[in-house]
């Protein structure tokens, strides 16, 4: 059985159009560049989607020491982000890392809605709500079912 490396960006698109990326450890510059390239590949699919960045196993935020690279990537992909990204949820357990992420987002705001939460279930609930708002109730239902979240009022009234 293959073991995951101790550090890296691990992509899970099994619930597409929900993309979950778990950052583990502290990414090297090369790992961070590979992460950005892969993120662009999802934008190039030309499909509306939501993104959850789970940093709960990270020793730093994805932008720590790489802020310029992240900001440049955001600028270069702004049109794709606006068109295809329905929103981003950041899972950050550490108050310090949460503050660092909020400072980065204040300096370089995202072009799509976002939320900073402390666990994956909160992120999934937010993502399900965003899917619902975007007129994608089936995707919202799949997310709620997968994460064991309650049924929304819209889904309940449709039953």
């Amino acid at each position: 059985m293959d073991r995951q490396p101790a550090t890296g960006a691990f992509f899970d698109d099994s619930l597409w159009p929900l993309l979950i990326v778990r950052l583990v450890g502290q990414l090297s510059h090369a790992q961070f560049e590979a992460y950005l390239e892969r993120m662009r590949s999802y934008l190039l699919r030309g499909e509306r989607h939501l993104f959850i960045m789970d940093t709960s196993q990270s020793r730093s935020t994805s932008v720590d020491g790489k802020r310029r690279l992240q900001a440049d990537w955001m600028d270069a992909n702004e049109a794709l982000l606006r068109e295809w990204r329905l929103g981003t949820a950041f899972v950050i357990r550490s108050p310090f890392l949460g503050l660092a992420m909020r400072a980065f987002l204040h300096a370089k705001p995202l072009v799509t809605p976002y939320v900073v939460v402390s666990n994956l279930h909160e992120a999934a609930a937010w993502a399900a709500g965003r899917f619902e708002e975007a007129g994608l109730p089936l995707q919202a239902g799949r997310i709620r079912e997968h994460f064991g979240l309650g049924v929304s009022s819209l889904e309940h009234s449709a039953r």
Side-chain angles (χ1 to χ4, degrees), residues 5 8 13 44 52 60 69 90 99 108 114 116 120 134 137 154 157:
D13 60 8
L44 293 173
I52 295 176
S60 66
L69 191 59
F90 299 96
L99 183 61
K108 181 67 181 163
Y114 71 90
V116 178
L120 190 56
L154 289 176
S157 65

Side-chain angles (χ1 to χ4, degrees), residues 135-151:
L136 301 167
L138 294 177
Q139 289 81 349
R142 280 182 53 224
I143 301 308
R144 286 190 177 98
E145 182 178 332
H146 180 82
F147 286 95
L149 304 169
V151 176

